[in-house]
Amino acid sequence: MGCRIAVFGTGYLGATHSACMAELGHEVVGVDVDTAKLATLAAGEAPFFEPGLNDVLKANVDAGRLRFTSSYEEAAEFADVHFIGVATPQKRGELAADLTYVDSVVTRLAPLLTRPAVIYGKSTVPVGSAARLSEMAQHLAPIGDAVELAWNPEFLREGFAVHDTLHPDRIVLGIDLERRGRAEEVARELYRDIVGEGVPFLVTDRETAELVKTAANAFLATKISFINAMAEVCEAAGADVSELADAIGYDARIGRRFLNAGIGFGGGCLPKDIRAFMARAGELGANQALTFLREVDSINMRGRTRMMEMTREVAGGSLIGTRVAVLGAAFKPDSDDIRDSPALNIAGQIQLQGASVTVFDPKAINNSRTLFPTLNYASDVRDACDGADVTLVLTEWEEFQRLEPAYLDPIVRCQRIIDGRNCLDQAKWRNAGWTYRGVGRR
Ligand code: UDX
């Protein structure tokens, strides 16, 4: 018999977590304030594109293990275990994270808790949040300190969300070590099948658990900016960053993964998480420790401007009146997520320099149109590249990697391609008579 769980927030994190906990045999209610989203989910469909998620949602809704509601009362009545999976975006005009949504889950839920309960935070939060939220919950709950709050960070990648949730590299749990309650025992029960497969289960204090998540994201961001800095040097020296990455990647201490040079990282996590991390370190008086992340951020943002400059150069020195085809809008392939997407940022910058930019993405067009209504959008590659003076590949969708020069030859005006993700076979394009430019490539 599974546990009775409520998951607050039904975004990438919450919707996937709800569906996967039901898949593990628990009874789950997903809670959100957005009723349109809830209706979509109740029909067994994700309100965003995530490979494999619809199948898990549908199977578990149909099996009666998964439902959705906007009622906190219903969730509190039903569940003994609560997960916080709401967003922690960047505050407007500041580097710090905005904890409004996380706080609001606790202030709404805690007063409804009339029997012992465990709340697990999954959202990425500044270190110290769990202890603060725990006090808040115990103060507001009628059962007082019979409500426990622990931190159980989530490491899922978009595009692999279901796999990463059901087969994580590790499970990290931060508990109040002074007064060990039931949080560890309940978590072992929740994740029994996963832990049974040999996945490491690490129990630590709440602060360490919070920091594990931000440190992991800071490391990944640093790895990407490191290789992009190498790309800048390679360009200056006439060397090739892809070959360099392959060669240093064979050293197991370095590793080849996350060493793909290109237009840099975006998305709803890495950019805002490294900024929130710097802000929090500053508040704690440890700001010097993380000043290097400012450089990581600058290298990353510079990648976007450099791509705009490269396009200008390839276009012959001016973007005014140039037709530019942009293939890719999502921040990475197999996602329709455009939050802080380098691709869209670059498309916007190029348009602002006087070019006419037409964007195509297999999944992210609707989201892009809402955010950047002034760009032109195409319904396929052919439509986007029609009469193009320069074609840019900015998200490495498989569809773009498979493109053949001969297919585009009769469509474009000029055979010039810029590979913002170093994902194309440069020899193939050059041999077909195209001008090819990658990032940090010969
Ligand atoms: C990230 C973390 O990987 C995940 O563990 C955490 O839970 C949330 O943040 P995600 O935002 O889904 O996941 O994307 P990720 O796959 O990490 O890619 C982030 C960005 O880095 C993308 O824009 C991607 O294109 C870029 N990237 C990634 C590179 O530019 N080069 C690389 O080698 C790898």
Side-chain angles (χ1 to χ4, degrees):
M1 184 62 190
C3 307
R4 293 176 137 208
I5 301 174
V7 178
F8 296 85
T10 59
Y12 290 92
L13 166 57
T16 311
H17 194 65
S18 310
C20 290
M21 293 313 279
E23 182 72 14
L24 290 173
H26 304 299
E27 287 179 73
V28 183
V29 59
V31 189
D32 206 297
V33 291
D34 183 337
T35 47
K37 235 188 206 176
L38 293 172
T40 311
L41 286 160
E45 248 179 72
F48 47 85
F49 175 71
E50 178 61 42
L53 181 55
N54 283 352
D55 294 344
V56 186
L57 276 170
K58 180 120 195 13
N60 286 286
V61 167
D62 289 350
R65 279 191 301 268
L66 175 60
R67 61 198 166 82
F68 294 91
T69 182
S70 59
S71 163
Y72 272 64
E73 287 75 13
E74 191 185 329
E77 175 56 38
F78 171 77
D80 306 302
V81 176
H82 304 272
F83 282 99
I84 305 173
V86 290
T88 51
Q90 189 174 341
K91 270 189 195 164
R92 242 171 227 276
E94 283 180 53
L95 292 184
D98 178 354
L99 292 188
T100 314
Y101 304 118
V102 171
D103 285 12
S104 133
V105 170
V106 174
T107 46
R108 284 189 67 186
L109 173 66
L112 303 171
L113 296 175
T114 52
R115 53 181 204 276
V118 187
I119 305 176
Y120 296 97
K122 290 203 85 65
S123 312
T124 304
V125 290
V127 58
S129 301
R132 179 180 64 81
L133 291 164
S134 175
E135 254 178 48
M136 202 160 106
Q138 290 178 348
H139 175 70
L140 293 172
I143 48 160
D145 60 10
V147 50
E148 266 177 69
L149 193 140
W151 219 260
N152 171 218
E154 179 56 59
F155 303 98
L156 69 81
R157 298 160 297 168
E158 288 176 27
F160 299 90
V162 172
H163 173 272
D164 288 354
T165 306
L166 292 175
H167 308 282
D169 295 330
R170 73 302 208 186
I171 293 170
V172 176
L173 180 66
I175 59 173
D176 183 350
L177 290 175
E178 313 255 290
R179 72 170 270 281
R180 284 171 179 268
R182 292 166 52 243
E184 179 179 348
E185 174 196 328
V186 173
R188 287 193 185 274
E189 177 62 23
L190 290 169
Y191 296 123
R192 192 173 48 191
D193 290 356
I194 298 178
V195 178
E197 283 177 3
V199 169
F201 185 92
L202 306 159
V203 180
T204 179
D205 57 84
R206 292 176 295 198
E207 289 72 23
T208 306
E210 293 166 318
L211 278 173
V212 166
K213 173 64 199 242
T214 18
N217 277 356
F219 191 87
L220 294 171
T222 304
K223 212 171 169 189
I224 299 171
S225 277
F226 172 83
I227 201 65
N228 284 331
M230 292 306 112
E232 290 185 28
V233 179
C234 282
E235 263 169 43
D240 189 292
V241 76
S242 299
E243 289 169 16
L244 178 136
D246 289 343
I248 62 172
Y250 279 114
D251 184 334
R253 293 170 303 174
I254 296 173
R256 180 63 179 82
R257 294 176 71 190
F258 259 69
L259 269 192
N260 293 324
I263 54 176
F265 59 82
C269 294
L270 298 191
K272 62 112 178 143
D273 286 352
I274 60 168
R275 292 172 191 159
F277 199 16
M278 285 186 268
R280 185 64 184 137
E283 286 167 10
L284 293 170
N287 39 342
Q288 268 196 325
L290 296 187
T291 44
F292 75 95
L293 285 179
R294 196 170 276 283
E295 199 52 42
V296 166
D297 203 354
S298 308
I299 293 167
N300 194 51
M301 298 315 277
R302 190 154 76 225
R304 303 175 182 191
T305 321
R306 286 168 56 83
M307 186 52 32
M308 185 269 287
E309 294 297 351
M310 188 188 284
T311 311
R312 192 207 307 277
E313 200 183 305
V314 169
S318 167
L319 285 166
I320 298 166
T322 305
R323 293 182 73 145
V324 177
V326 168
L327 302 182
F331 84 104
K332 68 182 217 179
D334 297 317
S335 172
D336 63 358
D337 195 348
I338 51 152
R339 286 176 294 171
D340 204 354
S341 169
L344 271 186
N345 178 309
I346 291 163
Q349 285 195 51
I350 292 174
Q351 169 132 314
L352 289 172
Q353 295 292 320
S356 160
V357 179
T358 306
V359 181
F360 169 67
D361 187 283
K363 294 286 177 198
I365 291 296
N366 286 342
N367 287 343
S368 306
R369 200 176 264 131
T370 313
L371 190 71
F372 273 108
T374 48
L375 291 166
N376 306 314
Y377 294 97
S379 52
D380 53 26
V381 171
R382 166 183 286 275
D383 188 16
C385 295
D386 191 18
D389 296 301
V390 187
T391 300
L392 271 64
V393 175
L394 299 185
T395 311
E396 67 276 37
W397 285 95
E398 214 188 303
E399 174 182 351
F400 304 151
Q401 298 186 45
R402 280 204 313 260
L403 274 175
E404 287 298 327
Y407 175 76
L408 288 185
D409 279 339
I411 302 170
V412 298
R413 188 152 68 191
C414 301
Q415 293 169 303
R416 301 169 181 149
I417 193 153
I418 301 183
D419 182 3
R421 294 291 184 179
N422 288 355
C423 63
L424 305 175
D425 176 354
Q426 54 175 329
K428 178 170 88 178
W429 291 86
R430 289 208 169 112
N431 292 340
W434 282 63
T435 299
Y436 170 95
R437 291 283 299 271
V439 178
R441 287 185 128 176
R442 266 189 299 275

